[in-house]
Amino acid sequence: MLLNLAGVILTALVLYYLFNRIQLPGLLGLVATGLILGPSGFDTIDDEVLTLLRSFKTVALIVILIRAGLGINKATLNRIGGPAIRMSFIPGILEGTTIAIAAHYLLDLTFIESGMLGFIIAAVSPAVVVPSMLELKEAGWGKQKEVPTLVLAGASVDDVFAITIFGVFVGLATGTSVNIARLTISVPLGIALGIAIGVALGFALVWFFQRYHMRDTKKVIIFMTIAILFYEISELTAIKTILPIASLLGIMAIGFVILERYDILARRLAAKFGKVWVLSEVLLFVYIGTQVDLKQIDPSLFGVGLAIIAIGLVARGIGVYASLFQSDLNDKEKLFCAIAYLPKATVQAAIGAVPLSLFYDGKMTSMTEATGQAILAIAVLSIVITAPLGAIGIKFSGPKLLNQNL
């Protein structure tokens, strides 16, 4: 297993370097590694390594959100608060609804089936967006108006709405009782609870680190352990059925509190987590590549699938502009935000096959196997199209559309 893992990492580093050399985002080289060595390509990655990558993807996402939280102070949060809240749900809901309508007419899906597809596709990828925004922040692009921070804050909550609404359609499809009033309350309540728990954990860590002195490396280990426990507990079925907690947003809140209460330590921890991210980034994006099985894309669906995705992206762009209507961003900065909200990856890889698996389990007898396959194919296609499009768009549009303030 270790030899196989070493080969995967070395291949990923080589492709990362080559993509950077041709002025393309290095993360595309990492995704390409997963595509080439994974099920879509030569299928040479051991099952044990795939299991490791699957487990580590959450750790990698936590690392990048911790880094994001450690870079957001109170003044910044006050400035971007309103637009960030609107960016967290308006673009996604508008995109999901538009895709559902388009899929109903173009693919002749039922209301429930098209709704599932719409909100599988609607989720933006924090795995792609957040690290890209951090790179721009560190280089000073958009610093004056905190544009990258606005995008990463909105993207970190966007998934909560998309996955919750997807769950509603799954409940309708499987005949499970769905309490719309309860869901309407539970989403904002789950977000508030996630933030509250994160703030409490942040204060607890500040108190602990001020009272007990140790090396920063050990502080990173403690911070990561607490964040992972928070995430894993919030993902327990028993917890999620009662109230879905926005744990990823809460993890960002931990970093925010540490920065506010112990800024010297926050800067040191941010530097440490920056080093941890070097390996985390490799494993995360290689994993995403392994989950993109090109064999799942039916060639006959390519044209209509591309049209549905494009219609959805237009709707998402309109949603971004609507969210920023009363903000102080200029037209170029608003255009950048729309481009930054393009990438799909992690959520689509995670739940794209759910409708088909429910069909195989006999829980969705009203849906045909062909419909489940079509939903999965379009989910895979959305990753293939939007992940590179968004990553390249962010890399090249950032310096052109944003002002630099060092």
Side-chain angles (χ1 to χ4, degrees):
M1 183 186 97
L2 291 178
L3 184 61
N4 188 261
L5 178 61
V8 170
I9 292 174
L10 286 174
T11 303
L13 291 174
V14 169
L15 288 181
Y16 185 93
Y17 171 77
L18 292 176
F19 271 68
N20 274 332
R21 288 284 293 176
I22 59 174
Q23 301 300 307
L24 289 176
L27 66 86
L28 295 182
L30 305 179
V31 175
T33 302
L35 280 167
I36 295 168
L37 301 182
S40 277
F42 296 106
D43 200 15
T44 58
I45 302 179
D46 290 347
D47 290 340
E48 295 93 336
V49 174
L50 285 173
T51 301
L52 174 66
L53 293 174
R54 187 178 302 111
S55 300
F56 199 84
K57 78 175 186 344
T58 300
V59 176
L61 192 56
I62 287 172
V63 169
I64 196 61
L65 290 171
I66 287 174
R67 288 185 64 203
L70 289 169
I72 302 176
N73 57 35
K74 188 175 181 179
T76 298
L77 194 60
N78 288 336
R79 181 168 189 173
I80 68 168
I85 292 172
R86 294 191 293 273
M87 286 272 284
S88 70
F89 70 94
I90 293 176
I93 290 176
L94 188 56
E95 179 183 17
T97 303
T98 303
I99 287 176
I101 294 170
H104 175 69
Y105 289 102
L106 296 178
L107 290 175
D108 197 27
L109 301 184
T110 66
F111 167 73
I112 293 174
E113 293 164 352
S114 60
M116 284 192 291
L117 174 60
F119 288 94
I120 287 173
I121 305 300
V124 74
S125 174
V128 177
V129 173
V130 174
S132 299
M133 293 305 105
L134 287 178
E135 288 181 11
L136 291 171
K137 273 172 62 72
E138 290 165 1
W141 293 108
K143 183 177 180 180
Q144 183 179 359
K145 297 181 183 178
E146 297 292 351
V147 179
T149 305
L150 166 63
V151 172
L152 70 84
S156 301
V157 188
D158 178 277
D159 291 358
V160 175
F161 287 92
I163 293 172
T164 300
I165 298 173
F166 168 73
V168 171
F169 282 104
V170 169
L172 292 171
T174 56
T176 307
S177 176
V178 178
N179 189 326
I180 300 299
R182 179 177 176 274
L183 282 169
T184 304
I185 297 171
S186 69
V187 172
L189 189 59
I191 292 172
L193 184 59
I195 294 172
I197 294 173
V199 168
L201 290 173
F203 276 105
L205 285 175
V206 168
W207 175 86
F208 182 81
F209 291 148
Q210 287 177 335
R211 187 178 181 88
Y212 300 99
H213 299 286
M214 62 190 74
R215 295 180 60 181
D216 287 344
T217 302
K218 291 183 179 179
K219 292 175 183 175
V220 166
I221 294 171
I222 292 171
F223 194 164
M224 275 298 302
T225 302
I226 296 296
I228 291 170
L229 285 173
F230 176 24
Y231 176 81
E232 290 297 326
I233 291 172
S234 71
E235 288 296 300
L236 293 174
T237 303
I239 300 293
K240 292 178 73 173
T241 53
I242 298 172
L243 181 66
I245 299 173
S247 55
L248 295 180
L249 192 61
I251 289 168
M252 286 180 63
I254 299 174
F256 168 78
V257 171
I258 294 176
L259 179 61
E260 284 298 305
R261 307 296 296 183
Y262 199 171
D263 61 331
I264 295 174
L265 175 62
R267 292 187 180 91
R268 296 205 306 265
L269 291 179
K272 290 285 186 181
F273 276 109
K275 295 175 182 178
V276 174
W277 173 245
V278 173
L279 177 61
S280 302
E281 179 183 30
V282 172
L283 299 181
L284 173 62
F285 287 107
V286 169
Y287 169 76
I288 290 173
T290 64
Q291 297 306 293
V292 181
D293 190 351
L294 299 178
K295 299 169 188 173
Q296 300 287 353
I297 303 178
D298 184 344
S300 65
L301 285 172
F302 186 84
V304 67
L306 194 59
I308 289 171
I309 293 166
I311 291 169
L313 291 179
V314 171
R316 173 169 282 272
I318 293 171
V320 169
Y321 274 88
S323 303
L324 301 175
F325 179 67
Q326 293 184 323
S327 70
D328 62 348
L329 272 60
N330 60 39
D331 290 340
K332 287 185 177 181
E333 290 161 340
K334 291 176 182 177
L335 176 58
F336 170 79
C337 291
I339 293 170
Y341 251 36
L342 293 178
K344 321 284 183 182
T346 38
V347 173
Q348 291 72 27
I351 66 174
V354 168
L356 186 61
S357 65
L358 290 173
F359 168 80
Y360 287 142
D361 291 341
K363 296 179 180 178
M364 288 182 62
T365 54
S366 61
M367 188 182 77
T368 66
E369 182 178 9
T371 297
Q373 292 283 4
I375 291 173
L376 175 57
I378 296 174
V380 173
L381 185 62
S382 72
I383 301 173
V384 174
I385 298 298
T386 66
L389 182 65
I392 293 169
I394 292 169
K395 179 180 176 65
F396 289 104
S397 68
K400 292 183 181 299
L401 299 176
L402 303 178
N403 295 321
Q404 189 176 33
N405 301 94
L406 298 174

